[in-house]
Amino acid sequence: MQSSTTSRIVNALSYLSILFLPVIFPLIVWIIARASDDPSITKNARKAFWSQIFPLLYIIFAILTMSIASLYQATFHAGALFGVLLTFALLIALLLFIYNIAMAVKMLLGRE
């Protein structure tokens, strides 16, 4: 089933919002679109939201891990752990950024 032009644009904007209003725009679209007749908007807004908020959740996890490790004064070097966690955070953020841009292009081309 071919999506309407409006659906494709809203879906693409949900993913492209990583450039101008990450997390907030897809969340608003997701909440509003639940009442719409087009389930693809809800599905894509939900995917965009989670793909944009996941790096933040990972950073919170990394900070908690570092805090707990520093409280227990672990025998390993905490700086190395921080470096590894930060590297993974940046890699995850980059991959999800590329994913959001690719999904926006896919939505605009109508290949849903």
Side-chain angles (χ1 to χ4, degrees), residues 24-58:
I24 297 169
F25 185 81
L27 180 62
I28 292 170
V29 171
W30 184 12
I31 291 169
I32 292 173
R34 285 193 281 176
S36 76
D37 295 335
D38 192 352
S40 74
I41 294 176
T42 305
K43 180 182 97 175
N44 286 300
R46 184 180 65 241
K47 282 182 173 181
F49 171 77
W50 284 110
S51 69
Q52 292 175 16
I53 201 166
F54 185 74
L56 174 66
L57 296 175
Y58 179 81

Side-chain angles (χ1 to χ4, degrees), residues 52-72:
Q52 292 175 16
I53 201 166
F54 185 74
L56 174 66
L57 296 175
Y58 179 81
I59 294 287
I60 291 170
F61 166 76
I63 289 171
L64 288 174
T65 301
M66 287 300 302
S67 300
I68 291 169
S70 68
L71 285 175
Y72 289 107

